[in-house]
């Protein structure tokens, strides 16, 4: 990845505690491109939040280098271009939502004459009910706090957004809103670093994900590649007719360089290398007089990848 297209560059990052006895980050190297939505996944205690803290200059690394837009994370230029939503926002409880937003509009050095318009537009974008705009923040639910935090991020049109478990405390409507905001940022070429346990959401919006465990990156996966992985095809046959024998199904699968996994409740289960082979499989079955009723497809998702990597690490 060239310097022109790199937003974040991390080289051999180490963060230790207890005079070096505990390594929260153990030599992480990573590049994130401009306009990329990048996900951090891994079990609890993997080092994801520590990495996020170092990127935000909230934590000082023990060793290694971080450059964001060519600057160190504590550079004021990085702060001007970035926005952050923590997992548990802790805002000034005595303020109203409108006052809070107006205050941060001023901190962002945005034009005073557009303050009211900008604040209300941001609150509308996160679908916070207007009846709550002049309510004190201390009366907000956790989901409402998340929405307010997202609204704050929208001020100033940041070029880089950090989100730490943004879906925490959100209902399905809020989760859908978050997805829309992330996809909108992607359209605007905003770089997003997303730490989340909601793997289905990560899979829908991210370009790449890094699987982190024990302070190390074990694998970086392009989400577009997951859909190109081997697929599982389930062929439901008529229960009124005789099922094909295993030898026939195995031979058909072999011609497609796939595998046959047997019969379960009038369903044949196959694993194929490519999605394009699905039509060839069904055609071959029909030509052999197999009474095909329905065909279902399963693909390897991010959750399957997460579990596979986690189990593989446990076996080491």
């Amino acid at each position: 990845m060239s310097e022109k297209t790199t937003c974040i560059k991390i080289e051999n990052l180490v963060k230790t505690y207890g005079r070096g006895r505990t390594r929260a980050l153990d030599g992480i190297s990573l590049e994130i491109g401009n306009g990329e939505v990048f996900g951090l996944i891994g079990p609890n205690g993997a080092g994801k939040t520590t990495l996020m803290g170092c990127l935000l200059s909230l934590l000082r690394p023990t060793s290694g280098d971080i450059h964001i837009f060519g600057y160190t994370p504590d550079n004021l230029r990085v702060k001007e271009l970035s926005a952050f939503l923590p997992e548990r926002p802790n805002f000034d409880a005595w303020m109203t939502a409108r006052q809070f937003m107006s205050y941060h509009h001023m901190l962002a050095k945005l034009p005073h004459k557009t303050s009211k318009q900008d604040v209300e537009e941001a609150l509308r974008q996160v679908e916070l009910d207007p009846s709550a705009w002049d309510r004190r923040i201390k009366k907000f639910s956790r989901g409402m706090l998340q929405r307010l935090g997202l609204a704050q991020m929208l001020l100033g049109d940041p070029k880089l957004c950090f989100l730490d478990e943004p879906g925490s405390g959100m209902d399905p409507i809020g989760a859908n809103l978050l997805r829309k905001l992330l996809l909108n940022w992607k359209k605007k070429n905003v770089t997003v670093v997303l730490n989340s346990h909601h793997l289905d959401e990560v899979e829908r919006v991210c370009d790449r994900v890094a699987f982190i465990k024990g302070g190390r990156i074990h694998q970086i996966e392009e989400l577009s590649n997951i859909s190109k992985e081997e697929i599982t095809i389930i062929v439901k046959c008529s229960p009124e007719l005789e099922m094909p024998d295993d030898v026939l199904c195995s031979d058909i699968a072999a011609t497609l360089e796939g595998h046959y996994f047997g019969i379960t409740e009038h369903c044949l289960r196959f694993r194929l290398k490519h999605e394009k082979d699905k039509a060839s499989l069904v055609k071959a079955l029909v030509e052999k007089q197999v009474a095909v009723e329905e065909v279902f497809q399963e693909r390897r998702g991010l959750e399957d990848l997460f579990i596979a990597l986690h189990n593989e690490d446990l076996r080491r």
Side-chain angles (χ1 to χ4, degrees), residues 138-252:
K138 66 181 179 181
K139 297 182 179 180
F140 276 24
S141 67
R142 188 172 178 188
M144 292 171 70
L145 289 173
Q146 294 293 98
R147 287 174 187 261
L148 183 59
L150 288 169
Q152 179 193 3
M153 293 185 76
L154 294 173
L155 293 175
D157 291 325
K159 302 303 178 187
L160 171 61
C161 294
F162 296 96
L163 298 101
D164 192 2
E165 295 293 351
S168 180
M170 279 194 171
D171 58 19
I173 296 175
N176 185 60
L177 164 70
L178 175 61
R179 190 184 315 128
K180 287 194 296 185
L181 289 174
L182 287 166
L183 292 174
N184 190 47
W185 276 327
K186 182 182 287 192
K187 288 179 183 177
K188 292 182 175 181
N189 207 41
V190 175
T191 305
V192 178
V193 180
L194 172 65
N195 173 24
S196 177
H197 283 111
H198 296 276
L199 299 184
D200 56 334
E201 293 300 321
V202 172
E203 189 171 356
R204 291 187 189 193
V205 301
C206 287
D207 299 300
R208 289 189 299 156
V209 295
F211 179 82
I212 301 176
K213 187 174 181 184
R216 297 180 179 180
I217 293 178
H218 286 240
Q219 185 167 326
I220 295 176
E221 189 78 26
E222 288 195 23
L223 270 297
S224 59
N225 286 341
I226 291 182
S227 62
K228 298 175 184 176
E229 296 281 352
E230 292 183 341
I231 61 171
T232 298
I233 300 297
I234 300 171
V235 179
K236 183 180 179 182
C237 301
S238 172
E240 299 174 359
L241 299 175
E242 185 178 352
M243 296 294 290
D245 61 59
D246 289 339
V247 175
L248 172 65
C249 293
S250 295
D251 288 345
I252 291 174

Side-chain angles (χ1 to χ4, degrees), residues 83-140:
F84 170 50
L85 178 66
E87 179 179 2
R88 294 180 179 274
N90 185 17
F91 302 138
D92 299 285
W94 58 272
M95 283 185 171
T96 66
R98 192 192 298 271
Q99 289 170 337
F100 172 82
M101 290 289 290
S102 298
Y103 175 60
H104 283 276
H105 188 278
M106 178 191 67
L107 290 179
K109 298 179 181 178
L110 298 173
H112 176 70
K113 64 180 180 180
T114 64
S115 177
K116 184 176 184 295
Q117 177 183 336
D118 294 343
V119 164
E120 292 185 355
E121 175 59 26
L123 292 173
R124 286 192 193 96
Q125 284 191 56
V126 300
E127 299 173 10
L128 187 65
D129 194 301
S131 65
W133 293 2
D134 295 304
R135 188 185 308 168
R136 295 196 185 280
I137 295 174
K138 66 181 179 181
K139 297 182 179 180
F140 276 24

Side-chain angles (χ1 to χ4, degrees), residues 241-242 248 284-292:
L241 299 175
E242 185 178 352
L248 172 65
L285 290 169
V286 172
E287 288 177 347
K288 294 297 182 179
Q289 308 302 311
V290 176
V292 176

Side-chain angles (χ1 to χ4, degrees), residues 49-62:
T49 298
T50 301
L51 175 57
M52 189 81 80
C54 291
L55 290 171
L56 291 161
S57 76
L58 299 174
L59 297 173
R60 186 179 296 277
T62 304

